[in-house]
Amino acid sequence: MPQAPVATVLTIDDEEVIRRSFQAYLEDSGFEVLQAHNGRVGLDVFREHHPDIVLVDLRMPEMDGLEVLATVVREAPDVPIIVVSGTGMIQDAIEALRLGAWDYVLKPVEDLGILEHSVRRALERARLIKENKAYRENLENLVRRRTTELHDRTRQLEETNQRLQNEVGERIAAEAKYRSIFENAIEGIFQVNHQGVLVSANPAMARILGYQSPQELMDNVGNFCSRLCEDAGKREKFFRVLEDHGSVQAFEVQTSRLDGQALWASVNAHTVTGKTGETVRFEGTLEDISDHKRFEEQLLHQSLHDALTGLPNRALFTDRLSQAIYRCSRQNSFFALLYLDVDRFKVINDSLGHAQGDQFLMKLAERLRSCTREADTLARLGGDEFAVISEQVRSLSGATMVAERILEEMRRPFNIDGHEIYSTVSIGIICCTGFCGTAEEVLRDADLTMYRAKSNGKARYEVFDNALQEQTIQLLTMETEFRRALAKNEFELHYQPIVDVNTGAVVTLEALLRWKHPERGYIPPLDFIPMAEENGLIVPLGWWVLEEACRQLAHLQALFPRSAPLGMSVNISAKQFAQADLGQKLETLLSHSRVAPGTLELEITESVIMDRGEAAIGMLEELKSLGLKLFVDDFGTGYSSLSYLHRFPIDMLKIDRSFIREIDATGGHAEIVRAIVGLGRNLGLGLIAEGVETEAQLAVIRTLGCQLAQGFLFSRPCPAAEIENYLAANRVEPTD
Ligand code: C2E
Ligand code: CA
Ligand code: CA
């Protein structure tokens, strides 16, 4: 296996002998030898084979050795080049060494060992130079790397430094900002240590609690937690939430300011823990929500109170009633409920206006308050309805005393804008012991009792009893039956003559309604008309009455033709009178019936007319224009305004039978009848006495100048067939 050559030598020389001798010698010494016979070829070989060392002659044709030398040194400065020359001229040697030759060997080379030595020495030097250069390069690389590393590090440090500087700047700015927030916040900000001592507070905190400064607050507040939340149970809850969740949100506490003023606050807080997780303190904010709370309370108050009078409203009243019932049933105690309704409040409202109506209600509320005790609940249930719960009274007589006090108070006039207004109330009283039903039931019963007070004449009180309750139930069953009766037409009209007191002639008939109940027989109108009025069924029923009365009247007029035809009067209820199309419908009815003109009469009670106030005038005039006659029924029992009376286009007053009844056999007690007759005459109205039962009564009214009368003395109300007989037997023609 041939040994790897020690190195490759290029010999450039034009003398073949010399080249050969060099080659032989150097190859023997282990070198590889390349040859070139002139400089140009020598450079080609050099460029192609990259020898480790070059031996070059100086004197050569084509390109001399110095040029080769210069080129090699330029192209490969690390490759040693040795000049082997025979010129022997010192200038050549100097020039060669100056151009970069590594050695100069003189020709002829007697001892080739010297050449080899020179070659080996040059190669060794080249190796050293190369190593040195590599080492230097390494070193330089290292230095360069280190330098860049150092640079990088420095830059990093600079950056870090800058960042730190920025952060410090920001911290300072933030600190200033937070301090400003702390100082200027509207909310109180606080820190409390684990012993409950306030360790930090902002000015707002001090201000909210009524202190001059945070320092003053901290110096004087004592235990901050108990100061902030006076309710121990609530405080415990606060700490429990704080412990369980680490924070508390919008926790509302109630306390007081330093000056004693009530303070509501909403607290947000969280715990701050130490390194080992133990609570070191808690901190948070506090907002004064007193205004908000007050507003809330106001809203709550508004929702439970009547805006006009400031009294509890129905909602609050019902709640209080439930509580009273509850207490009453548990302790078997006693309470009374008074249910009040103003009599004819509508008249006040219509005649004076709503603003004055409101004023009246306010004054009334004041008076009622003066009649009740502090602990009673007085409420306005709506409109002109008020109610009182009294747990103070111990018996029914206690409750009636309250009612009497109220009725007494009502006797004084109310001064409304300079007007003296008299008003009355009707009161229903219900007394409860033990369990007495739900609030709704108790209220309903009280309401019902109040209505009884109204129907018994107003301006009075009635006490609820169970019989009344039964009556209610009866009324309910009756209502069901009544609807059925209406569908099956179980109604009938009876007729009662109204006669001329001087001649006994039948002038007109009053149509009176009867319910012919399949099991209970005839039910009198007073037992069902109030109910029909209440549920509105009186309207369709009233129309049936009008149609039936007209039909009957036309029939009777045909049967008994007279110069002054027979009349018929029909009772009109409040609900009917309130129908806007009453006139229109009556007009249609009259045009379809064969009733003689001016013979249909309408009876309207005094209170129905008065309750509608001004509106009644228009309606009455419209009816009048249809040729209808208008009678004021039950005159003297209601609320009369004489100043109104003359403005109403009415024809006759029917004197209520309670006044006629007063007239005794000797003719005494006729004062009221005399007064009414006098009034009627003054107003140019006709007069009918109702309920004439005795000859004595008849004699008195005749003397007083009352032209017409109605009553059992002449005839009871009777069915159509009977009235025909009556008229046939009583053929006296009325005189005008
Ligand atoms: P009212 O309009 O005052 O009718 C007269 C009432 O007095 C009738 O009672 C009649 O039977 C009764 N009466 C007549 N003469 C005498 C007498 O000499 N002595 C006594 N004690 N009573 C006498 P009735 O028929 O029970 O009617 C009661 C009320 O029912 C009527 O009172 C009226 O307000 C109402 N009413 C009757 N029919 C109708 C109707 O068709 N529609 C409306 N809305 N109400 C009616
Ligand atoms: Ca009547
Ligand atoms: Ca009457």
Side-chain angles (χ1 to χ4, degrees), residues 510 571 603 633 654 690:
E510 178 172 5
N571 294 285
E603 293 193 11
D633 207 355
K654 290 188 79 172
E690 283 187 318

Side-chain angles (χ1 to χ4, degrees), residues 493 496 510-514 524-526 529 533 538 541-542 545 570-574 576 603 605 633-634 654 656-657 661 690-693 710-713 715-717:
L493 287 185
Q496 189 179 30
E510 178 172 5
L512 292 159
L513 187 60
R514 297 291 179 266
L526 285 180
I529 282 184
E533 179 79 23
I538 192 70
L541 182 60
V545 171
V570 176
N571 294 285
I572 298 294
S573 79
Q576 274 177 292
E603 293 193 11
T605 63
D633 207 355
D634 305 345
K654 290 188 79 172
D656 193 73
R657 72 169 185 273
R661 198 172 49 217
E690 283 187 318
V692 177
E693 292 182 358
Q710 168 183 10
F712 294 169
L713 180 64
S715 166
R716 288 184 175 261

Side-chain angles (χ1 to χ4, degrees), residues 542 546 570-577 582 586 601-605 608:
L546 276 162
V570 176
N571 294 285
I572 298 294
S573 79
K575 275 259 163 64
Q576 274 177 292
F577 190 63
L582 178 67
L586 276 167
E601 298 136 0
L602 302 182
E603 293 193 11
I604 305 162
T605 63
V608 165

Side-chain angles (χ1 to χ4, degrees), residues 159-172:
E159 279 172 12
T160 310
N161 197 26
Q162 188 59 49
R163 212 169 46 237
L164 285 173
Q165 270 180 14
N166 290 347
E167 270 174 26
V168 169
E170 278 166 18
R171 286 247 173 94
I172 292 171

Side-chain angles (χ1 to χ4, degrees), residues 31 35 137 373 401 424 457 479 716:
F31 291 94
Q35 291 187 22
E137 267 176 12
R373 302 185 207 191
M401 264 162 64
T424 58
E479 185 169 328
R716 288 184 175 261

